[in-house]
Amino acid sequence: MKNLKKIIVLSVLSLATLSCSKSDNVANDVVLEFNNTFKETTIVLGDAHSINATKNTSAEGQVHHFSELKYVVSNIRLVKTDGQEVPYNINNLDDGAVVVNQSKPETLKYVLQNIPAGDYKQIKFGLGVKPELNTLDQERFPKFYALAGANDTSMMWEWGTGYRFTKIEGFYDTDNKTLSVHTGSTLEESEDDTTVLVQGVNAYREIVLNLPSTVSVGNTKPIIRIKADFDKLLNGKIYTIKLDANNAIPNIHTAVNMTKFVDNLGGNGTNDVTGMFSIISVNN
């Protein structure tokens, strides 16, 4: 009888161990949900005279709203509690990058598939496309190329060989002057050979966000809700920007002016690695 009890206890323990082991080693999806806001208010887009569009007031007192809002997220990595970094298709724009488009709700949720089981404390991603992939390579990344170049997306420079990283269209001041902010890396002539183009402004930014609680990947599909606060476009941690004829449209604002928008949205990479982004919540 005692032997039978021992066998039963050992069997239960074995099953429990097997169950825990199975749970601990199940890869699962992680969902990134992007909420684009002015401060705490989710942005509603609208034309020049829209009464429904979300209006925001900058530190300089300029009222503005958006008619178009898009940005590229790529080079995504999750960091485990032990510091191990788990990359997600970081060299494949087709499977590891998304154009977040406020007018398309389906783009506001991005699913990271088959993430290894474990506990995660941090997420890293790029705002834009890292320099080594920032070429309009239709053959290598046909899906992303088509997505970025679509008529309703237009996340490619007309004059260059790379992608736009953010594209904001809208209006400002009481007379609804045009607001158009396009950011992305630039090219310039080489000092040694003016027929050769080299990297000019590098507008790619690395975002690093600590998670408020541990994301546990295993039997459940965790959700990480990320806020992108576009109040920071003009009211950034680094620059306070006043819109005028010299910076409100892309064919006028210089690379220096563009970099101010880039640093406000994506941080400067040194004392600011979060830019406009923050974590709203984690749901395991």
Side-chain angles (χ1 to χ4, degrees):
M1 191 67 174
K2 287 183 179 180
N3 289 336
L4 180 58
K5 287 182 178 179
K6 286 181 180 179
I7 292 171
I8 291 172
V9 170
L10 289 172
S11 298
V12 170
L13 289 173
S14 296
L15 286 170
T17 302
L18 182 61
S19 175
C20 290
S21 177
K22 184 178 179 181
S23 173
D24 290 343
N25 290 287
V26 173
N28 211 329
D29 297 343
V30 174
V31 180
L32 306 183
E33 288 189 359
F34 294 93
N35 185 22
N36 301 314
T37 71
F38 284 133
K39 301 183 180 72
E40 301 304 320
T41 303
T42 298
I43 291 173
V44 175
L45 303 175
D47 61 22
H49 303 290
S50 172
I51 61 173
N52 297 317
T54 308
K55 291 179 170 55
N56 192 49
T57 303
S58 73
E60 294 284 351
Q62 292 182 303
V63 177
H64 53 284
H65 69 275
F66 297 159
S67 58
E68 185 177 346
L69 173 57
K70 299 163 185 165
Y71 55 94
V72 174
V73 169
S74 68
N75 196 24
I76 301 166
R77 290 140 293 154
L78 291 171
V79 182
K80 290 187 173 182
T81 52
D82 64 2
Q84 179 189 352
E85 196 168 283
V86 177
Y88 184 75
N89 297 316
I90 59 174
N91 294 312
N92 186 339
L93 296 178
D94 276 359
D95 296 327
V98 61
V99 177
V100 178
N101 184 343
Q102 185 66 8
S103 67
K104 292 187 173 182
E106 65 271 20
T107 70
L108 304 180
K109 290 186 179 182
Y110 189 60
V111 180
L112 311 181
Q113 299 179 329
N114 295 315
I115 299 301
D119 293 331
Y120 294 83
K121 66 177 182 179
Q122 193 178 69
I123 183 170
K124 300 179 180 179
F125 57 86
L127 177 59
V129 180
K130 59 185 180 180
E132 54 268 39
L133 296 182
N134 189 32
T135 57
L136 305 183
D137 194 335
Q138 184 175 8
E139 292 185 2
R140 189 177 178 192
F141 305 120
K143 187 170 73 173
F144 186 78
Y145 181 91
L147 174 64
N151 288 335
D152 64 345
T153 309
S154 300
M155 295 295 282
M156 296 176 178
W157 293 120
E158 293 87 349
W159 49 264
T161 61
Y163 295 97
R164 287 188 178 107
F165 298 166
T166 62
K167 186 178 182 215
I168 298 168
E169 304 288 348
F171 310 91
Y172 73 99
D173 283 349
T174 55
D175 55 349
N176 288 315
K177 292 187 285 289
T178 298
L179 163 62
S180 182
V181 176
H182 301 174
T183 73
S185 296
T186 65
L187 298 173
E188 60 186 28
E189 294 178 351
S190 169
E191 293 182 0
D192 300 325
D193 184 350
T194 58
T195 65
V196 176
L197 295 177
V198 296
Q199 178 79 61
V201 172
N202 180 8
Y204 173 77
R205 292 293 183 268
E206 286 271 342
I207 308 299
V208 181
L209 300 175
N210 295 323
L211 301 174
S213 58
T214 301
V215 167
S216 297
V217 179
N219 288 329
T220 60
K221 183 187 294 186
I223 299 172
I224 302 173
R225 299 186 66 226
I226 301 171
K227 180 170 76 172
D229 179 7
F230 281 85
D231 177 65
K232 299 292 191 298
L233 177 71
L234 304 180
N235 305 328
K237 301 173 189 173
I238 301 174
Y239 299 105
T240 298
I241 299 174
K242 183 174 183 178
L243 296 170
D244 56 35
N246 295 312
N247 63 10
I249 54 177
N251 62 335
I252 296 297
H253 64 234
T254 64
V256 171
N257 282 333
M258 183 190 72
T259 301
K260 291 181 179 179
F261 292 121
V262 171
D263 287 349
N264 277 357
L265 296 175
N268 60 5
T270 52
N271 59 333
D272 180 12
V273 294
T274 60
M276 64 176 171
F277 295 97
S278 61
I279 301 295
I280 300 172
S281 64
V282 167
N283 297 322
N284 285 305

